[in-house]
């Protein structure tokens, strides 16, 4: 395995709204690469996040500017982009109630925001329960071509990179069960399990399948999962665990209705993205949030049993606000891994990528 080159997709160091993060990537039938992320935001947590996509027509060497797909009144975060075959695409994301994270900076007695948070607070003060309940949730949209996008549909689970299209064409979404109270919720919780949901009608309806044992223990903060279908039909699920920070696996041999106990892996950072290469190799991508900070992939050459082959894509980041790496295979078998990390110290997070090969 070797790295070929690193690429900057979008870097706006002087833009107040130049923070881009939590990306995914997919390839259309004509070879176009589509990267999706949250972007045009001021920082890691803010009310201005939008879902944006970027396009490359030359195998990831150059990229278009950001094109906005979602701009709800809430913070649009963690975009997943999935090929549905041909030029068709699906886009997943979730919306966040920024007030939950910023309310500590508002004086409950005076109702005034601290000076450094007045601009953000002016936006949050316009949000009421009706607005939040209308837009808060986990979502999917479908596009016939990457240009026009259909109406948003609610999804009962969420994970950063979205669902996986199984061999039979159904959608298997492996992620954190979304909190529901009368069909709506205004904040996320960690005490719900990592769960599989299945749709056979492209996201119009979902069937809740099985959950991974012991992923509702809040102290472990099991979350941000992803799944791939192996050659023998086994579903391999990868899950982020925060204490200590690492990736664990769970497997299902009955289409997601039951899952094995979590098994440890040599992957000591997260969150994970899984994909099957045309050679049969299984690739797990992730940001590396320990020194030396950067981006890595671990590869299995035995059908997903062992992931002992690690390739360091980058080891030059300044801190741990990075990652959410995801990988797509190009027509020639080479790979493009997308992720976020600043280009220089003190810059906002930029969208970047690495071209590499097995």
């Amino acid at each position: 395995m070797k790295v070929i080159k690193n690429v900057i997709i979008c870097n706006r160091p002087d833009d107040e709204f130049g923070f881009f993060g939590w990306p995914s990537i997919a390839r259309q039938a004509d070879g176009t690469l589509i990267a999706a992320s949250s972007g045009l935001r001021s920082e890691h947590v803010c009310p201005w996040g939008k879902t944006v996509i970027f396009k490359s027509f030359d195998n990831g060497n150059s990229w278009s500017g950001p094109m906005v797909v979602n701009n709800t009144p809430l913070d649009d975060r963690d975009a997943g982009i999935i090929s549905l075959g041909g030029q068709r695409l699906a886009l997943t994301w979730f919306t966040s109630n920024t007030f939950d994270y910023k309310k500590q900076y508002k004086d409950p007695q005076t109702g005034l925001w601290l000076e450094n948070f007045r601009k953000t607070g002016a936006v949050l003060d316009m949000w009421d329960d009706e607005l939040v309940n209308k837009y808060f949730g986990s979502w999917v949209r479908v596009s016939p071509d990457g240009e026009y996008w259909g109406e948003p549909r609610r999804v009962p689970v969420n994970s950063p990179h979205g669902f996986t299209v199984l061999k039979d064409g159904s959608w298997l979404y492996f992620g954190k069960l979304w909190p529901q109270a009368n069909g709506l919720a205004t904040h996320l919780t960690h005490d719900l399990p990592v769960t599989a949901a299945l749709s056979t009608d492209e996201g119009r309806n979902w069937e809740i399948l099985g959950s991974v044992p012991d992923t509702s223990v809040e102290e472990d903060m099991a979350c941000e999962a992803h799944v791939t279908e192996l050659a023998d039909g086994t579903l391999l699920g990868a899950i982020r665990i925060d204490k200590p920070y690492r990736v664990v696996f769970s497997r299902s041999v009955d289409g997601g209705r039951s899952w094995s106990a979590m098994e440890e892996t040599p992957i000591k950072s997260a969150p994970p993205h899984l994909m099957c290469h045309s050679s049969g190799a299984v690739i797990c991508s992730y940001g590396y949030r320990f020194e030396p900070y950067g981006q890595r992939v671990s590869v299995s050459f035995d059908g997903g049993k062992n992931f002992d082959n690690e390739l360091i894509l980058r080891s030059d980041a300044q801190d741990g606000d990075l990652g959410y790496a995801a990988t797509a295979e190009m027509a020639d078998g080479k790979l493009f891994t997308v992720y976020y990390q600043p280009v220089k110290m003190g810059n906002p997070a930029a969208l970047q990528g690495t071209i590499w090969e097995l």
Side-chain angles (χ1 to χ4, degrees):
M1 301 187 294
K2 69 176 183 179
V3 171
I4 298 173
K5 67 182 294 189
N6 297 320
V7 176
I8 295 175
I9 298 173
C10 184
N11 180 36
R12 296 188 173 187
D14 300 319
D15 189 338
E16 180 183 0
F17 300 100
F19 189 109
F20 293 80
W22 317 290
S24 296
I25 190 166
R27 180 170 67 91
Q28 294 175 292
D30 67 356
T32 301
L33 290 177
I34 308 289
S37 80
S38 180
L40 300 171
R41 52 189 304 118
S42 64
E43 57 181 324
H44 194 105
V45 176
C46 77
W48 292 288
K50 303 170 179 62
T51 312
V52 295
I53 62 171
F54 305 81
K55 296 185 179 186
S56 174
F57 305 104
D58 58 3
N59 291 321
N61 288 281
S62 63
W63 291 82
S64 72
M67 294 168 273
V68 176
V69 178
N70 300 311
N71 182 17
T72 72
L74 303 187
D75 181 11
D76 300 301
R77 301 180 67 89
D78 291 33
I81 189 79
I82 303 101
S83 171
L84 300 180
Q87 296 298 101
R88 301 182 71 233
L89 298 165
L91 180 74
T92 62
W93 80 104
F94 78 93
T95 49
S96 175
N97 184 358
T98 310
F99 184 81
D100 282 347
Y101 301 92
K102 300 294 189 182
K103 59 186 177 184
Q104 60 184 309
Y105 304 111
K106 186 176 186 178
D107 188 321
Q109 302 299 320
T110 65
L112 298 177
W113 292 85
L114 298 182
E115 184 174 355
N116 291 343
F117 296 91
R118 287 178 184 171
K119 187 172 183 177
T120 299
V123 175
L124 300 181
D125 282 341
M126 294 188 292
W127 295 3
D128 57 22
D129 289 346
E130 182 180 0
L131 181 142
V132 171
N133 285 332
K134 179 178 180 180
Y135 291 102
F136 185 83
S138 180
W139 304 91
V140 63
R141 298 179 79 175
V142 175
S143 171
D145 54 10
E147 299 289 339
Y148 168 78
W149 293 89
E151 290 299 310
R153 301 168 186 162
R154 285 188 181 271
V155 183
V157 299
N158 178 262
S159 63
H161 301 297
F163 61 84
T164 295
V165 180
L166 302 182
K167 294 170 186 175
D168 64 4
S170 60
W171 297 1
L172 196 288
Y173 208 152
F174 184 66
K176 202 71 170 175
L177 192 64
W178 196 266
Q180 298 286 322
N182 298 320
L184 297 170
T186 59
H187 64 278
L188 299 176
T189 62
H190 289 286
D191 57 353
L192 292 172
V194 173
T195 299
L198 184 73
S199 177
T200 58
D201 58 4
E202 298 203 332
R204 295 174 182 85
N205 297 281
W206 293 88
E207 177 188 2
I208 301 297
L209 303 179
S211 297
V212 178
D214 302 323
T215 51
S216 59
V217 180
E218 188 166 3
E219 296 81 53
D220 288 341
M221 291 186 64
C223 60
E224 296 188 329
H226 196 240
V227 69
T228 193
E229 186 176 16
L230 302 177
D232 65 358
T234 298
L235 297 177
L236 175 65
I239 305 164
R240 166 181 169 168
I241 302 291
D242 275 12
K243 297 179 181 180
Y245 196 52
R246 66 201 192 277
V247 169
V248 298
F249 288 160
S250 179
R251 302 169 194 266
S252 175
V253 296
D254 58 4
R257 298 189 180 278
S258 63
W259 293 86
S260 67
M262 293 181 287
E263 60 186 74
E264 296 296 332
T265 77
I267 301 169
K268 302 308 179 186
S269 203
H273 173 272
L274 293 169
M275 62 89 66
C276 293
H277 189 265
S278 60
S279 67
V282 184
I283 298 167
C284 184
S285 310
Y286 45 95
Y288 194 74
R289 294 187 166 191
F290 304 99
E291 293 184 357
Y293 303 110
Q295 319 295 333
R296 302 187 180 196
V297 294
S298 287
V299 182
S300 171
F301 293 104
D302 59 3
K305 296 180 178 66
N306 297 286
F307 283 79
D308 298 324
N309 303 280
E310 185 177 64
L311 176 65
I312 299 174
L313 302 180
R314 301 284 293 270
S315 59
D316 58 347
Q318 288 77 43
D319 58 40
D321 190 3
L322 55 72
Y324 288 70
T327 300
E329 182 178 357
M330 296 183 282
D332 61 1
K334 293 186 177 67
L335 296 133
F336 191 100
T337 297
V338 67
Y339 45 85
Y340 82 96
Q341 72 176 48
V343 173
K344 294 181 180 179
M345 177 70 79
N347 285 0
L351 213 61
Q352 303 191 61
T354 297
I355 300 171
W356 60 284
E357 62 184 0
L358 292 172

